[in-house]
Amino acid sequence: MRLGTCLLLAVMSGVLGLILRLTLPVAPVDASFRDVVRLYQSQGAPTGSNTLETSPP
């Protein structure tokens, strides 16, 4: 594809996403999702990272 076609498609998809975001309401969080989040919060904070890249030195 040509560069102009790619840029046009990118702009069109961005505008469509913005229009959808502004016109459609956000679905509220249901009770079962809140229960799952509460369960994970009750398990406590993680003790550290499991990857070397994000572990403290």
Side-chain angles (χ1 to χ4, degrees), residues 26-39:
V26 178
V29 177
D30 59 348
S32 61
F33 179 77
R34 282 192 215 112
D35 292 340
V36 170
V37 171
R38 197 174 304 118
L39 173 71

Side-chain angles (χ1 to χ4, degrees), residues 1-53:
M1 282 206 290
R2 296 186 338 212
L3 179 63
T5 306
C6 290
L7 290 175
L8 180 64
L9 288 173
V11 169
M12 285 176 35
S13 66
V15 168
L16 178 63
L18 184 62
I19 289 171
L20 288 174
R21 176 63 182 99
L22 293 175
T23 57
L24 296 177
V26 178
V29 177
D30 59 348
S32 61
F33 179 77
R34 282 192 215 112
D35 292 340
V36 170
V37 171
R38 197 174 304 118
L39 173 71
Y40 278 107
Q41 285 176 343
S42 68
Q43 292 178 357
T47 57
S49 175
N50 60 353
T51 61
L52 294 175
E53 292 86 5

